Amino acid sequence: MIDVYIERMVPLIEAALEEHFPPMPKYATRVYESMRYTLFSKAKRIRPLLMLIIAETFKCDLKKVLPFACAIEYVHTSSLILDDLPCMDDATLRRGKPANHIVFGESIAILAAIGLLNHAYSLIAKFNDDVDNNKLLEILDIMTAAISIDGLVGGQSLDLIHKEKKVELDVLEYMHRCKTASLFVASVDISAILCNAKEKERKALTNYAKYIGLAFQISDDLSDQLLTEKELGKDVKKDTLSTTYVSFYGVEGTIKFINELIENAKKELTGLNYDCSLLIQLADKLKNKKYLS
Ligand code: GRG
C-alpha cells in the first residue's frame, strides 16, 4: 500500500516543485540551471512525502501542504549541493549524476544552494493570504531551527570537524539528529500545524520523526558500507576512518538498532486517534536498507 501511495504522490510532488519554482530569469540563467539541475535529478522526496502522509492522516487538503513540502525539498537540495563541495564532503556524484559543482563550478554551485534556500523562505512568506500569519511565523521559526546551529549547520560543522576522527557515541547521535533528523522533525511539524494538529499530537509526531530521522541517517551510513555507488547514485565512504554506527555496533548490531528506532517511532503513534497506517508503513519501509538506493 505504501509503495502504491509513494508512486502516486511522487509525480504530484515533482509537479509542485516545478509549479513553485521561480520563473526563468532573463540574464542569470547559469545559476538558474544549476538550481534546477540538482533539484530535478532523481530523488526519493521522502521529506515532502512525510508531509503529505501527515496531511492524509489528518484528512487535510494536500494542496494546502504541498507548497510547504516544496519549501522543505528546496532546503534539503540546497544542503546536498553544499555538502558535496570540495571544502565539505568533496563528493563527485549526487542523485545519480555528477555533483552540482562538477558541472557548474564551485562558485555557481554555492550561489545555487543559496538561491534554493532563499526561495524556500520566499515561498512560505507568499502564503500569508491562505495561512494565518501567526501560523506562518511559527512555521518559519521551525524551519530556521532545523537549519540552525542546533540543526543542519551545527550537525554538518561537527561532521566536518570530526572527519576521520574517533567520536563518542553521544556526539555521533547528536550529529545525526542535527544533520538529518532535524529536517524530518520540521517537515512533520510544519505539516501538523497546517493540519491543525493539537499540541499533544504534534509532540507524538515530532517524536516519531526524530526516531525515523535518526534511523534514516544510520541506514544511510550502513548503505555506504554495503552498497555500491551505482546502486546509491552518490559517492560512498567505505574507506574513510570516520566513526559511524557501523564502527560501534557492526553491521548486524546497526540493523538491530535501526529496527529498535523504528519500533520506538511506531510506539509514538499509538496515542493518536487517527488512522496512522501510512506513517507506520513508511517507518517499516526504512527497515529495508534498499529503500535508500
Ligand atoms: C544552509 C541548507 C543549509 C545547510 C548547511 C551542508 C549542510 C549545512 C548540511 C548537510 C546536511 C546533509 C547533507 C545531511 C545528510 C542528510 C541525508 C541523509 C541526505 C540524503 O537524503 P536522501 O537520501 O537523498 O533523502 P535524496 O537524494 O533522495 O533526496
Side-chain angles (χ1 to χ4, degrees):
M1 186 180 160
I2 187 75
D3 290 331
V4 176
Y5 184 81
I6 292 173
E7 232 171 85
R8 202 154 48 84
M9 288 302 135
V10 169
L12 220 76
I13 295 167
E14 301 291 341
L17 287 171
E18 186 68 74
E19 182 191 340
H20 295 291
F21 199 75
M24 172 84 151
K26 192 164 173 200
Y27 299 112
T29 50
R30 191 72 182 148
V31 70
Y32 184 78
E33 263 179 61
S34 168
M35 285 163 73
R36 293 187 63 88
Y37 174 78
T38 308
L39 181 69
F40 292 110
S41 300
K42 194 169 169 17
K44 295 181 287 296
R45 313 295 187 204
I46 188 165
R47 297 153 192 85
L49 273 168
L50 246 180
M51 293 177 74
L52 296 187
I53 292 176
I54 298 286
E56 212 78 64
T57 307
F58 280 81
K59 304 218 177 312
C60 168
D61 189 355
L62 298 188
K63 284 199 205 90
K64 190 172 177 185
V65 172
L66 261 172
F68 295 83
C70 290
I72 290 288
E73 188 65 21
Y74 297 146
V75 171
H76 168 59
T77 306
S78 164
S79 80
L80 297 181
I81 296 173
L82 294 173
D83 189 44
D84 290 340
L85 289 170
C87 61
M88 297 220 192
D89 261 14
D90 195 13
T92 56
L93 196 64
R94 174 63 70 178
R95 292 182 165 171
K97 297 199 315 211
N100 199 295
H101 65 273
I102 301 286
V103 179
F104 295 91
E106 276 180 62
S107 36
I108 290 292
I110 292 170
L111 291 173
I114 297 172
L116 283 167
L117 183 62
N118 191 52
H119 186 59
Y121 285 103
S122 139
L123 182 59
I124 290 180
K126 279 201 179 70
F127 282 81
N128 61 346
D129 280 346
D130 306 320
V131 180
D132 171 76
N133 276 350
N134 285 335
K135 267 192 186 177
L136 271 194
L137 282 178
E138 198 174 359
I139 286 171
L140 284 170
D141 191 34
I142 290 167
M143 202 169 85
T144 48
I147 302 168
S148 74
I149 48 171
D150 287 323
L152 296 182
V153 166
Q156 180 77 351
S157 72
L158 290 173
D159 198 358
L160 295 173
I161 286 165
H162 291 107
K163 216 176 255 299
E164 312 207 334
K165 288 197 185 119
K166 187 115 193 73
V167 183
E168 296 301 320
L169 196 54
D170 56 340
V171 179
L172 186 67
E173 181 174 328
Y174 178 76
M175 227 155 75
H176 282 4
R177 283 198 187 284
C178 289
K179 244 184 74 172
T180 305
S182 65
L183 209 50
F184 277 68
V185 170
S187 304
V188 160
D189 207 17
I190 290 170
S191 194
I193 289 178
L194 290 166
C195 299
N196 300 319
K198 297 188 188 78
E199 282 301 321
K200 231 177 104 188
E201 293 163 343
R202 281 176 59 189
K203 187 78 202 139
L205 290 169
T206 49
N207 284 341
Y208 161 89
K210 265 183 215 162
Y211 283 122
I212 65 163
L214 186 56
F216 191 79
Q217 178 59 58
I218 299 171
S219 298
D220 198 65
D221 286 351
L222 191 61
S223 305
D224 268 359
Q225 298 288 322
L226 302 180
L227 302 180
T228 62
E229 288 192 348
K230 195 157 182 278
E231 283 170 305
L232 283 171
K234 60 176 189 137
D235 293 35
V236 295
K237 297 167 237 161
K238 284 193 207 319
D239 303 328
T240 69
L241 305 166
S242 303
T243 314
T244 64
Y245 274 84
V246 188
S247 41
F248 275 106
Y249 294 137
V251 170
E252 288 310 310
T254 304
I255 293 172
K256 192 164 161 269
F257 186 54
I258 292 170
N259 290 347
E260 277 168 23
L261 290 169
I262 298 297
E263 290 311 314
N264 288 342
K266 292 194 297 188
K267 264 190 218 135
E268 292 291 337
L269 305 174
T270 51
L272 295 179
N273 274 331
Y274 292 92
D275 175 4
C276 294
S277 51
L278 282 173
L279 286 168
I280 293 170
Q281 286 176 54
L282 185 76
D284 277 334
K285 199 167 167 60
L286 298 182
K287 278 187 182 172
N288 175 3
K289 66 181 184 308
K290 276 277 178 197
Y291 182 47
L292 291 166
S293 59

